[in-house]
Amino acid sequence: MASTDLSSILSASRDLTKHLLNSKPPDLPSVNLSLEQIEAQSRRLVSKHNAAGDVDKANYLLAQASVNGSALSQSIAHLNASTTFSSSSLQPLQDTDVSSFLRHAHEQNLISTIEHGRKETQESFYRMLEDRTARDWEVKKKRLFEQLGASVPVAASTTSLAASTMGMSSSTMKKQASSSAPLSLQMHTKMLAYDRTIVALNSARLGGTSFPIVHALIDAANNNNQIVFMFTVLANITQEPPSLPPLEHASAHILNSPVFERKYAKAYLTSQTPAISLRKQIASGARQALEEQYLSIIQRTVHSHPSEAQLGGDPSTANLVRAFCAVRFYRQGEWLSGLELVKGTPVWAQVFFLVRVGEVSEAFQVLMRLKDAVDAREPGFIDAFRIWAESTERSLPRSIRDQLAGVYNAHMLQAQTKDPFKLALYKLVARLDAGRRSIPNVTTTTEDWLWMQFAMVDESSSDENDESSLASLTKVLLAYGERHFEPAIGTGGQKSGLWASVLLMCGQFERAVASLWDHDSGGSLQVEAVHLAIALAYHGLLRVSSKAEGSDVDILTLSPSTTGAQHIPSLALHTLIWRYIRQFVKMDAKEGLQYVYILPLSADQPSPPGVGREQLEAAWELVRRIIVMANGGPMWEELVGGVRGDGTRFVTLSSSSSFGPPTLQTSDYKSQILLPTASSLLSNDRLTEAIKLYDLAGEYDTVVGCLAQALGGMTWSATGDQQDRTKELEKTAREILTVYERLGRGTGLGVSGPSGSNTGGKDRDACVKLLKILEASERGRDGHVERALEIIESTALVPLDVATTSGKESEVDVMKVTKKAEEFTQQHEALQRCLPVYLVLCMDALSGVASKIKSVHAGEAQRHATLAILRKKSRALMVYAGPLKYRMSPQVYGYLARGDVEIAL
């Protein structure tokens, strides 16, 4: 059975190659070899191959490439791959080898963990890259839409620092719905309120007096508590009074009033870090603003709980604080635990809250009333507090400070029960442990925590790395960031401006403006951002960016410091102002100019070099842009000025002395505003406005030249749709030429062409002739062809008179006409361009007069004489047009020829 199966398999295998045998060529022999024979033949062929020759050839080729093949062969031959891995790793594990199994499992876990971490890192990287790309694209898209004017601020939210039930500020921001419609009524009202403040500021600058800009902005804030607090912080930092001293007589206020404008520019802008005096003033102003805010909170709390407060008739702040402590800490006839009572009074809490509201002297009086009891418990504290209170910088001598530090470290920190307010007073008076910035049960709110930090600031040392310095506190707050002070993005809460207030307290003025402008709350605080920047620039507390440092996208620029400190922030003020005013500049260009007047305030900034001049140039550029964007009419003339009918000028807004030193105003206004703006208007085909600007600049010959070009273009392309525009231009040209003729302007005596010709007089002559052509055209359309022909002849553009002065009455003086045609190139360019227009106009007038005469049959002799004169004039026109026929189209020349034939018939 098995042999049968094997035989069938053999026959089947032969059948597999049967088609090959049938298809092979007949001359190809068959190979019938067994496997052993095939192997033997193969070995024989291999033995015949010369391997050494191949090696020599290979070495020869490698040697040409400076490769030592034999050395490499020896190195490879001595390579022992068996030592690459340990023998144990390549050997199978025994079932009883527990240690090897555990080692192997440990190694596999490490490998899998590394691989898993690598994959997670790679996925996280690409996910972060995608998120960052999408976010950057959204930011760039938003900036692009903003620059194109598609995004405008929406109505501001009314957020405030809310008071808790016990009168403590909680800094919680309420969700408010804001209008998404651009320039809503609420937004428009707010912008108008701030706009009046800027107008008043510029009026005071023009009058040479100071202006309390910050307090004016507080009045315009419309009871927005957080914005009012922000401006209050700035008012305390700048020490700006609410109003100017009373006006005694005509000039006393100028001599006696304080100077606000650019008061702190030298201290703030001279070096990369503010001067020590300014840093002290910033910290003191921030602390005072927080103290004023907390005093109002105490008053509201006491007045809202009259039964618990038991205020009485004592109007002192100490009595107010006593009532506040009763509201907060007195329950059911006893004081809350944790307060140390001195003769039944929570004296440490009362003293702390008096210091908290800035009433240090009254706090000392409270201690003095309980002096014996306090000295018994805390000896030496009252004397230290008196020295601290009397110090202008609120500091202690080193010896007393060390004494308080010893008591603080030895007893108070280790006590089982301690009054938190006494702990806070020790920490505050001696400026102890500045690194620990929170005190339990004392710094319970954001404002309390901030006040404690600024009360601990000590700028007596020049070391910025000192924990009690303003620079160190600024680093801490910047590290905390906006997320600790404002609602997180996506939570639905609107930003109130608290973070901007914190940045102001730190002296980060540019960052404060940028935080109000650049956020994702719909632009509700952008109006406040612009006016905060204006107030800072007025007081000299704003560093503006140079063109090299600034960006067209972001208004804030962070430049590296040469001292290795924090980055130096600067603000693109001109970009900020333009993004704000472009919403309404077309509707109210005058108000837009008021904001542009702010830019030259920073012209005195010393560094980077040239940045002050760049601010003036930016102001000029914005003025030019506003003038170009504004519509014409009386309102437009208020921007640039104008000329009355008698030639006198009236005052302009854009030539205001707010643009800098008086020595620069006249020349700069002409060269930087009037002339470039006129050129821009001329390129935009707004000729009337351009001519007015050239006239204001005193470029009278340029005005006449522009009129000539415009009249030439209007004459050449005048159509029925442009009649109104033509009449307006014609009226303007006549008025200007009349005034110039009376005042002797535009004569062109000071303007000469390349060949010494009077180009200005040529422009004036061209204007007169073009006006006559336009008048003749209008008369021809009205049917007054005789008057049209008279006007054309008065221009002397076409030699019609040579026909009647020749020797033979029936002929035209061809020589004179041809000579006149040769002089055509000496005419004004506008007249040369209008050649087909006035030739056709002249032929139409001749044809019209001839038709009228032919239709009249009375007075045959006179009629024939008049027709003969018209034929001669027509013939003279054709002789004149002959040499010039290539300056006109064949259709025009053919039209003239047909007109000449009609007159001759």
Side-chain angles (χ1 to χ4, degrees), residues 228 302 324 510:
V228 169
V302 170
F324 176 71
E510 297 81 8

Side-chain angles (χ1 to χ4, degrees), residues 371-595:
K371 185 176 186 305
D372 295 336
V374 173
D375 284 341
R377 300 186 183 212
E378 302 294 334
F381 178 80
I382 294 181
D383 293 334
F385 189 86
R386 177 183 57 80
I387 297 173
W388 177 79
E390 292 176 353
S391 173
T392 56
E393 298 182 358
R394 292 192 178 182
S395 60
L396 291 175
R398 186 59 179 261
S399 58
I400 300 177
R401 182 180 178 184
D402 292 341
Q403 179 183 355
L404 291 181
V407 175
Y408 177 83
N409 294 321
H411 302 290
M412 301 193 65
L413 290 179
Q414 308 300 328
Q416 294 293 332
T417 59
K418 53 182 178 293
D419 190 326
F421 297 103
K422 182 169 70 171
L423 182 68
L425 286 172
Y426 266 88
K427 184 180 177 69
L428 182 63
V429 172
R431 287 195 174 101
L432 301 173
D433 202 7
R436 300 177 63 181
R437 300 186 178 275
S438 297
I439 302 177
N441 300 322
V442 176
T443 56
T444 56
T445 66
T446 301
E447 288 73 21
D448 290 334
W449 186 88
L450 287 171
W451 177 83
M452 195 68 187
Q453 310 316 309
F454 286 103
M456 295 280 291
V457 169
D458 182 12
E459 284 293 333
S460 59
S461 175
S462 59
D463 185 10
E464 294 185 0
N465 296 321
D466 186 2
E467 288 185 346
S468 60
S469 66
L470 181 62
S472 296
L473 177 59
T474 302
K475 291 180 182 178
V476 172
L477 292 173
L478 289 177
Y480 287 164
E482 186 178 7
R483 63 185 182 277
H484 287 272
F485 300 93
E486 299 281 8
I489 299 174
T491 60
Q494 284 200 352
K495 300 181 182 181
S496 64
L498 178 59
W499 175 238
S501 301
V502 173
L503 292 172
L504 278 181
M505 297 178 197
C506 299
Q508 298 292 312
F509 305 118
E510 297 81 8
R511 294 179 191 261
V513 176
S515 69
L516 291 176
W517 182 267
D518 294 327
H519 54 65
D520 300 323
S521 61
S524 60
L525 298 178
Q526 291 186 352
V527 178
E528 286 78 7
V530 173
H531 294 87
L532 175 61
I534 291 173
L536 291 169
Y538 181 68
H539 283 283
L541 293 174
L542 188 73
R543 182 179 282 104
V544 295
S545 308
S546 64
K547 289 183 178 179
E549 298 174 338
S551 168
D552 294 335
V553 177
D554 296 324
I555 62 172
L556 182 66
T557 302
L558 298 177
S559 303
S561 173
T562 57
T563 61
Q566 300 178 12
H567 285 79
I568 303 173
S570 57
L571 197 76
L573 184 59
H574 65 282
T575 303
L576 179 71
I577 288 180
W578 173 246
R579 290 181 182 176
Y580 176 70
I581 67 174
R582 69 183 175 194
Q583 314 168 54
F584 56 84
V585 70
K586 289 185 178 181
M587 300 178 293
D588 197 347
K590 290 170 53 180
E591 307 306 332
L593 273 181
Q594 296 293 335
Y595 286 88

Side-chain angles (χ1 to χ4, degrees), residues 93-155:
L93 297 176
Q94 301 297 325
D95 295 338
T96 58
D97 193 352
V98 178
S99 61
S100 298
F101 172 78
L102 294 178
R103 184 178 65 254
H104 177 72
H106 177 67
E107 292 175 353
Q108 293 299 316
N109 288 337
L110 289 178
I111 293 173
S112 62
T113 301
I114 293 173
E115 180 64 20
H116 182 68
R118 185 190 67 81
K119 289 183 178 180
E120 283 190 348
T121 303
Q122 185 177 2
E123 292 174 359
S124 175
F125 169 76
Y126 284 113
R127 186 168 56 252
M128 184 183 301
L129 179 63
E130 184 178 357
D131 294 342
R132 179 66 61 86
T133 303
R135 186 164 59 252
D136 291 347
W137 165 242
E138 290 297 328
V139 171
K140 291 181 179 180
K141 185 169 63 174
K142 179 182 176 182
R143 300 298 183 197
L144 179 61
F145 288 156
E146 189 178 43
Q147 289 196 356
L148 294 176
S151 175
V152 295
V154 297

Side-chain angles (χ1 to χ4, degrees), residues 283-328:
S284 175
R287 175 176 51 79
Q288 291 172 7
L290 290 166
E291 291 169 354
E292 294 173 4
Q293 181 197 46
Y294 199 74
L295 179 60
S296 65
I297 292 174
I298 289 179
Q299 291 172 346
R300 291 198 304 269
T301 303
V302 170
H303 293 156
S304 60
H305 300 82
S307 59
E308 294 91 340
Q310 298 294 320
L311 184 60
D314 187 359
S316 65
T317 307
N319 183 51
L320 182 67
V321 169
R322 178 204 59 78
F324 176 71
C325 291
V327 172
R328 283 198 62 183

